[in-house]
Amino acid sequence: QVRLVESGGGSVQAGGSLRLDCTFSGDTRFSEYYMAWFRQAPGKEREGVAADVDNHIQNYGDSVKGRFTISRDNTKNALFLEMNSLKPEDTAMYYCAASRSPPGWILNGDGYKYWGQGTQVTVSS
């Protein structure tokens, strides 16, 4: 069974940076998985942040373009999210997600089967 574990969240001031890590286990074919980051703030809908297809295709939500970078290391079964120029509106629980099959729209969470438990990111003004 695929398991995802996020880490790296925390509290930073606006303008700061954080890197989120997601470790993947339970399947040797990590490189074949569609991987993505989602976030959800209290009272708001889940939002697609960034998605990656084997380091060949990346897609970003409009609110994070130019500030966030998704990447993966297939040798370590790990997914990363580098977040720069953080804003208070980036405050949310961030989740790592994985799908073995094409998820439809790559930033639609409904297409992902496996989810981590989340890591909290808080940005203060």
Side-chain angles (χ1 to χ4, degrees), residues 95-116:
Y95 299 91
C96 175
S99 175
R100 179 73 174 82
S101 57
W105 169 233
I106 201 171
L107 286 178
N108 181 353
D110 292 343
Y112 288 81
K113 181 176 181 180
Y114 303 104
W115 292 81

Side-chain angles (χ1 to χ4, degrees), residues 3 5 8 20 25 27 30 32 39 48 54 59 63 66 72 76 85 96 103 118 120-121:
R3 184 171 181 239
V5 179
L20 304 184
S25 61
D27 192 328
F30 174 68
E32 298 178 17
R39 68 186 182 186
D54 197 18
N59 211 307
S63 62
R72 67 198 292 167
K76 297 180 179 179
S85 302
C96 175
Q120 177 68 37
V121 172

Side-chain angles (χ1 to χ4, degrees), residues 18-39:
L18 280 175
R19 191 185 85 168
L20 304 184
D21 294 1
C22 172
T23 57
F24 174 103
S25 61
D27 192 328
T28 59
R29 301 168 296 178
F30 174 68
S31 64
E32 298 178 17
Y33 276 74
Y34 296 77
M35 299 295 298
W37 290 98
F38 293 86
R39 68 186 182 186

Side-chain angles (χ1 to χ4, degrees), residues 63-83:
S63 62
V64 306
K65 284 180 181 176
R67 300 188 298 122
F68 290 12
T69 303
I70 188 172
S71 63
R72 67 198 292 167
D73 185 339
N74 289 334
T75 66
K76 297 180 179 179
N77 286 2
L79 180 75
F80 309 104
L81 184 69
E82 189 73 38
M83 305 185 294

